[in-house]
Amino acid sequence: MSSVFLSFLCCLLLSGVAWTEDVIPRKSDMTSPVGFNATEKHILLATINAWRGRVTPPAADMNTLVWDEELATMAQAQADTCSFDYGFPDWADDVNITKTLPERNVGQTIWRGWNVSFATNYWNGEGEWYDYCNNRCTYDRKALKALGFYRSSKVYYYRGCFNYTQLIWGDSQYVGCGHRVCDWRNKHYDPGKDSLVCNYFPGKIEVESESTRMKRLPYKTREPLDVACARGAPSGRAATNLIVFAMLLFVCSVYGRILP
Protein backbone atom coordinates (compact mmCIF):
# COMPACT_ATOMS: atom_id res chain seq x y z
CA MET A 1 0.00 0.00 0.00
CA SER A 2 1.58 3.28 -1.04
CA SER A 3 1.65 6.39 1.10
CA VAL A 4 -0.34 8.21 -1.58
CA PHE A 5 -3.14 5.67 -1.39
CA LEU A 6 -3.01 5.66 2.40
CA SER A 7 -3.28 9.43 2.50
CA PHE A 8 -6.29 9.30 0.16
CA LEU A 9 -7.93 6.60 2.29
CA CYS A 10 -7.40 8.53 5.49
CA CYS A 11 -8.78 11.71 3.99
CA LEU A 12 -11.80 9.79 2.73
CA LEU A 13 -12.45 8.20 6.11
CA LEU A 14 -12.00 11.44 7.99
CA SER A 15 -13.77 13.72 5.52
CA GLY A 16 -16.26 16.09 7.03
CA VAL A 17 -14.42 16.16 10.36
CA ALA A 18 -12.64 19.35 11.38
CA TRP A 19 -9.15 19.20 12.89
CA THR A 20 -6.22 21.50 13.50
CA GLU A 21 -2.79 21.12 11.95
CA ASP A 22 -1.24 19.84 15.17
CA VAL A 23 -3.60 16.82 15.28
CA ILE A 24 -2.28 15.17 12.11
CA PRO A 25 1.52 14.97 12.18
CA ARG A 26 3.46 15.77 9.06
CA LYS A 27 5.24 12.99 7.22
CA SER A 28 8.90 12.86 8.22
CA ASP A 29 11.97 11.47 6.53
CA MET A 30 11.88 8.50 8.88
CA THR A 31 13.34 5.36 7.27
CA SER A 32 12.89 2.89 10.14
CA PRO A 33 9.37 2.33 11.46
CA VAL A 34 10.20 2.37 15.16
CA GLY A 35 8.45 3.98 18.12
CA PHE A 36 5.92 6.80 18.22
CA ASN A 37 6.04 10.54 17.83
CA ALA A 38 4.39 12.86 20.36
CA THR A 39 1.03 12.96 18.58
CA GLU A 40 0.88 9.19 18.23
CA LYS A 41 1.66 8.78 21.94
CA HIS A 42 -1.19 11.13 22.75
CA ILE A 43 -3.65 9.26 20.52
CA LEU A 44 -2.61 5.84 21.80
CA LEU A 45 -2.86 6.95 25.41
CA ALA A 46 -6.28 8.53 24.84
CA THR A 47 -7.55 5.37 23.14
CA ILE A 48 -6.35 3.10 25.95
CA ASN A 49 -7.97 5.37 28.53
CA ALA A 50 -11.18 5.44 26.50
CA TRP A 51 -11.45 1.64 26.62
CA ARG A 52 -10.73 1.70 30.35
CA GLY A 53 -13.45 4.25 30.94
CA ARG A 54 -16.17 2.13 29.33
CA VAL A 55 -15.91 -1.17 31.17
CA THR A 56 -19.01 -3.03 32.27
CA PRO A 57 -19.98 -3.23 35.00
CA PRO A 58 -18.85 0.39 35.49
CA ALA A 59 -15.72 0.91 37.59
CA ALA A 60 -15.42 2.95 40.76
CA ASP A 61 -11.63 3.11 40.83
CA MET A 62 -10.39 3.17 37.23
CA ASN A 63 -7.30 5.39 37.10
CA THR A 64 -6.62 7.54 34.07
CA LEU A 65 -3.25 6.34 32.80
CA VAL A 66 -0.32 8.72 32.33
CA TRP A 67 2.43 8.12 29.74
CA ASP A 68 5.79 7.11 31.23
CA GLU A 69 8.99 7.16 29.19
CA GLU A 70 10.76 4.52 31.29
CA LEU A 71 7.96 2.06 30.60
CA ALA A 72 8.01 3.08 26.93
CA THR A 73 11.77 2.46 26.68
CA MET A 74 11.30 -0.99 28.19
CA ALA A 75 8.44 -1.69 25.81
CA GLN A 76 10.49 -0.54 22.83
CA ALA A 77 13.31 -2.90 23.83
CA GLN A 78 10.87 -5.82 23.84
CA ALA A 79 9.24 -4.77 20.56
CA ASP A 80 12.70 -4.56 18.98
CA THR A 81 13.27 -8.26 19.66
CA CYS A 82 10.46 -9.09 17.21
CA SER A 83 9.69 -12.14 19.32
CA PHE A 84 5.98 -11.23 19.48
CA ASP A 85 5.97 -12.52 23.03
CA TYR A 86 5.75 -11.19 26.58
CA GLY A 87 9.05 -10.23 28.13
CA PHE A 88 11.32 -7.53 29.50
CA PRO A 89 14.93 -6.45 28.90
CA ASP A 90 17.64 -7.58 31.30
CA TRP A 91 17.87 -4.12 32.84
CA ALA A 92 14.14 -3.89 33.66
CA ASP A 93 14.77 -4.34 37.39
CA ASP A 94 16.83 -1.14 37.47
CA VAL A 95 14.15 1.31 36.31
CA ASN A 96 13.13 3.96 38.81
CA ILE A 97 9.36 3.69 38.44
CA THR A 98 9.19 0.17 39.90
CA LYS A 99 11.01 1.31 43.03
CA THR A 100 7.98 3.39 44.03
CA LEU A 101 6.01 0.17 44.65
CA PRO A 102 8.59 -2.62 44.89
CA GLU A 103 5.96 -5.19 45.79
CA ARG A 104 4.22 -4.75 42.42
CA ASN A 105 5.27 -5.95 38.97
CA VAL A 106 5.12 -4.31 35.54
CA GLY A 107 2.13 -5.47 33.48
CA GLN A 108 2.23 -5.91 29.71
CA THR A 109 0.03 -6.17 26.63
CA ILE A 110 1.39 -7.27 23.25
CA TRP A 111 0.24 -7.28 19.65
CA ARG A 112 1.32 -8.79 16.37
CA GLY A 113 -0.72 -8.01 13.31
CA TRP A 114 -1.33 -5.95 10.20
CA ASN A 115 -1.05 -2.57 11.86
CA VAL A 116 -0.82 -1.24 15.38
CA SER A 117 -3.97 0.87 15.13
CA PHE A 118 -5.98 -2.33 15.60
CA ALA A 119 -4.11 -3.47 18.71
CA THR A 120 -6.16 -1.79 21.45
CA ASN A 121 -9.37 -2.87 19.71
CA TYR A 122 -8.28 -6.50 19.93
CA TRP A 123 -7.06 -6.14 23.50
CA ASN A 124 -10.47 -4.79 24.40
CA GLY A 125 -12.10 -7.47 22.24
CA GLU A 126 -10.75 -10.17 24.54
CA GLY A 127 -13.42 -8.94 26.96
CA GLU A 128 -15.97 -10.92 24.92
CA TRP A 129 -14.72 -13.98 26.79
CA TYR A 130 -14.10 -12.40 30.17
CA ASP A 131 -16.65 -13.05 32.92
CA TYR A 132 -16.09 -10.24 35.42
CA CYS A 133 -18.61 -11.51 37.95
CA ASN A 134 -16.72 -14.79 38.29
CA ASN A 135 -13.29 -13.42 37.32
CA ARG A 136 -12.86 -16.13 34.70
CA CYS A 137 -11.79 -16.25 31.08
CA THR A 138 -13.99 -18.53 28.98
CA TYR A 139 -11.87 -18.33 25.82
CA ASP A 140 -11.50 -21.78 24.21
CA ARG A 141 -9.49 -21.77 21.00
CA LYS A 142 -10.18 -25.42 20.19
CA ALA A 143 -13.92 -24.90 20.63
CA LEU A 144 -13.86 -21.86 18.34
CA LYS A 145 -12.01 -23.84 15.66
CA ALA A 146 -14.61 -26.61 15.97
CA LEU A 147 -17.31 -23.99 15.36
CA GLY A 148 -15.67 -23.02 12.07
CA PHE A 149 -13.52 -20.08 13.16
CA TYR A 150 -10.29 -21.75 12.07
CA ARG A 151 -9.07 -18.81 9.95
CA SER A 152 -10.93 -16.16 11.89
CA SER A 153 -9.37 -13.37 13.92
CA LYS A 154 -11.01 -15.08 16.91
CA VAL A 155 -8.34 -17.76 16.78
CA TYR A 156 -5.56 -15.86 15.00
CA TYR A 157 -5.34 -12.74 17.18
CA TYR A 158 -6.89 -13.80 20.48
CA ARG A 159 -5.14 -16.04 22.99
CA GLY A 160 -7.35 -15.62 26.04
CA CYS A 161 -8.03 -12.60 28.25
CA PHE A 162 -4.51 -11.77 29.39
CA ASN A 163 -4.25 -8.47 27.49
CA TYR A 164 -7.80 -7.44 28.36
CA THR A 165 -7.46 -7.85 32.11
CA GLN A 166 -4.30 -5.74 32.09
CA LEU A 167 -5.92 -3.12 29.86
CA ILE A 168 -8.71 -2.65 32.42
CA TRP A 169 -6.67 -3.12 35.60
CA GLY A 170 -8.04 -0.32 37.74
CA ASP A 171 -5.09 0.70 39.91
CA SER A 172 -2.53 0.84 37.10
CA GLN A 173 -1.30 4.42 36.88
CA TYR A 174 1.29 4.58 34.11
CA VAL A 175 1.72 3.18 30.61
CA GLY A 176 4.44 3.34 27.98
CA CYS A 177 4.49 1.62 24.60
CA GLY A 178 6.98 0.65 21.90
CA HIS A 179 6.47 -0.26 18.25
CA ARG A 180 8.48 -1.86 15.47
CA VAL A 181 7.62 -3.21 12.04
CA CYS A 182 9.66 -6.39 12.10
CA ASP A 183 9.94 -7.09 8.40
CA TRP A 184 11.10 -3.78 6.94
CA ARG A 185 12.99 -4.43 3.71
CA ASN A 186 14.41 -1.77 1.45
CA LYS A 187 12.17 0.83 3.07
CA HIS A 188 9.06 -1.15 2.14
CA TYR A 189 6.49 -2.31 4.64
CA ASP A 190 5.68 -6.03 4.83
CA PRO A 191 2.19 -6.25 6.40
CA GLY A 192 1.46 -8.60 9.25
CA LYS A 193 4.73 -8.04 11.09
CA ASP A 194 3.85 -5.12 13.35
CA SER A 195 4.95 -5.53 16.96
CA LEU A 196 3.36 -3.36 19.65
CA VAL A 197 4.23 -3.70 23.33
CA CYS A 198 2.72 -1.65 26.14
CA ASN A 199 3.94 -1.76 29.74
CA TYR A 200 1.81 -0.76 32.72
CA PHE A 201 2.67 0.05 36.31
CA PRO A 202 1.52 -1.09 38.73
CA GLY A 203 0.71 -4.20 36.71
CA LYS A 204 -2.19 -6.52 37.28
CA ILE A 205 -2.02 -9.09 40.06
CA GLU A 206 -2.39 -12.66 38.85
CA VAL A 207 -4.85 -15.08 40.42
CA GLU A 208 -2.70 -17.54 42.34
CA SER A 209 -5.37 -19.94 43.55
CA GLU A 210 -9.11 -20.56 43.56
CA SER A 211 -9.31 -19.10 47.05
CA THR A 212 -7.94 -15.74 45.86
CA ARG A 213 -9.80 -15.58 42.53
CA MET A 214 -12.57 -13.18 43.63
CA LYS A 215 -10.04 -11.08 45.57
CA ARG A 216 -8.17 -10.35 42.33
CA LEU A 217 -10.83 -8.62 40.28
CA PRO A 218 -9.36 -6.01 37.88
CA TYR A 219 -11.27 -3.12 39.44
CA LYS A 220 -13.98 -2.28 41.96
CA THR A 221 -17.53 -1.74 40.75
CA ARG A 222 -19.52 1.40 41.48
CA GLU A 223 -22.33 -0.70 42.93
CA PRO A 224 -21.83 -3.61 45.32
CA LEU A 225 -20.63 -6.61 43.35
CA ASP A 226 -23.75 -8.68 43.96
CA VAL A 227 -25.96 -5.81 42.76
CA ALA A 228 -23.87 -5.14 39.65
CA CYS A 229 -23.79 -8.83 38.73
CA ALA A 230 -27.49 -9.32 39.43
CA ARG A 231 -28.15 -6.95 36.53
CA GLY A 232 -26.57 -9.50 34.22
CA ALA A 233 -23.44 -7.49 33.51
CA PRO A 234 -22.21 -8.06 29.96
CA SER A 235 -18.59 -8.49 28.96
CA GLY A 236 -16.39 -5.43 29.22
CA ARG A 237 -15.76 -4.77 25.55
CA ALA A 238 -17.18 -1.51 24.30
CA ALA A 239 -16.82 0.72 21.26
CA THR A 240 -17.63 4.32 20.47
CA ASN A 241 -17.28 6.49 17.41
CA LEU A 242 -14.73 8.55 19.34
CA ILE A 243 -12.50 5.51 19.86
CA VAL A 244 -12.83 4.44 16.23
CA PHE A 245 -11.98 7.99 15.14
CA ALA A 246 -8.88 7.96 17.35
CA MET A 247 -7.79 4.68 15.80
CA LEU A 248 -8.12 6.17 12.33
CA LEU A 249 -5.98 9.13 13.32
CA PHE A 250 -3.44 6.74 14.75
CA VAL A 251 -3.06 4.60 11.64
CA CYS A 252 -2.88 7.69 9.42
CA SER A 253 -0.11 9.08 11.56
CA VAL A 254 2.01 5.93 12.00
CA TYR A 255 1.84 4.65 8.46
CA GLY A 256 1.77 8.04 6.81
CA ARG A 257 5.25 8.72 8.16
CA ILE A 258 6.87 5.34 7.49
CA LEU A 259 5.59 4.39 4.06
CA PRO A 260 7.72 5.59 1.14
Side-chain angles (χ1 to χ4, degrees):
M1 183 184 294
S2 70
S3 58
V4 174
F5 176 75
L6 181 65
S7 298
F8 170 76
L9 179 61
C10 291
C11 290
L12 181 63
L13 290 171
L14 299 174
S15 61
V17 181
W19 64 81
T20 59
E21 288 185 0
D22 60 348
V23 173
I24 306 293
R26 298 175 181 176
K27 182 176 179 180
S28 70
D29 294 326
M30 189 173 179
T31 58
S32 177
V34 178
F36 301 111
N37 64 31
T39 300
E40 292 157 2
K41 291 176 184 178
H42 175 76
I43 295 171
L44 181 57
L45 178 63
T47 306
I48 289 173
N49 278 321
W51 290 128
R52 287 168 59 83
R54 296 188 60 80
V55 293
T56 52
D61 62 342
M62 187 69 69
N63 287 330
T64 299
L65 297 180
V66 176
W67 188 273
D68 181 81
E69 286 299 334
E70 274 194 318
L71 293 176
T73 301
M74 290 170 57
Q76 187 62 55
Q78 181 63 17
D80 287 345
T81 68
C82 292
S83 65
F84 305 108
D85 201 358
Y86 300 95
F88 302 94
D90 295 338
W91 44 264
D93 292 337
D94 297 328
V95 297
N96 291 323
I97 191 171
T98 58
K99 297 174 183 178
T100 61
L101 287 172
E103 71 278 11
R104 295 290 294 273
N105 295 320
V106 175
Q108 194 170 80
T109 54
I110 63 172
W111 162 261
R112 174 188 177 175
W114 288 88
N115 69 65
V116 295
S117 68
F118 298 146
T120 64
N121 185 52
Y122 278 97
W123 293 341
N124 181 70
E126 291 179 3
E128 180 178 347
W129 296 280
Y130 177 66
D131 178 359
Y132 176 90
C133 294
N134 292 291
N135 197 15
R136 292 189 187 278
C137 184
T138 61
Y139 182 86
D140 188 332
R141 194 163 183 252
K142 290 183 178 180
L144 288 168
K145 283 186 174 182
L147 291 172
F149 291 104
Y150 188 80
R151 296 186 179 277
S152 166
S153 62
K154 290 181 181 291
V155 299
Y156 184 76
Y157 289 114
Y158 298 127
R159 292 294 184 273
C161 308
F162 190 90
N163 292 307
Y164 177 71
T165 49
Q166 176 56 75
L167 180 70
I168 64 165
W169 197 264
D171 79 344
S172 292
Q173 300 177 50
Y174 303 97
V175 66
C177 304
H179 165 241
R180 175 177 286 275
V181 176
C182 290
D183 202 349
W184 184 255
R185 301 176 181 176
N186 299 321
K187 299 185 181 180
H188 289 281
Y189 168 56
D190 186 8
K193 299 293 181 66
D194 276 35
S195 175
L196 174 65
V197 178
C198 287
N199 289 331
Y200 306 75
F201 190 78
K204 70 176 183 178
I205 302 173
E206 297 293 340
V207 175
E208 298 174 352
S209 65
E210 184 64 21
S211 63
T212 63
R213 179 169 51 84
M214 294 309 293
K215 298 177 182 179
R216 294 289 185 263
L217 287 165
Y219 58 87
K220 295 179 181 178
T221 55
R222 293 178 188 172
E223 299 176 302
L225 184 62
D226 56 343
V227 175
C229 292
R231 299 181 187 277
S235 62
R237 59 186 304 215
T240 67
N241 290 335
L242 176 62
I243 298 175
V244 172
F245 175 68
M247 290 168 61
L248 288 172
L249 288 177
F250 190 68
V251 69
C252 290
S253 175
V254 172
Y255 295 96
R257 68 184 172 88
I258 66 175
L259 288 172

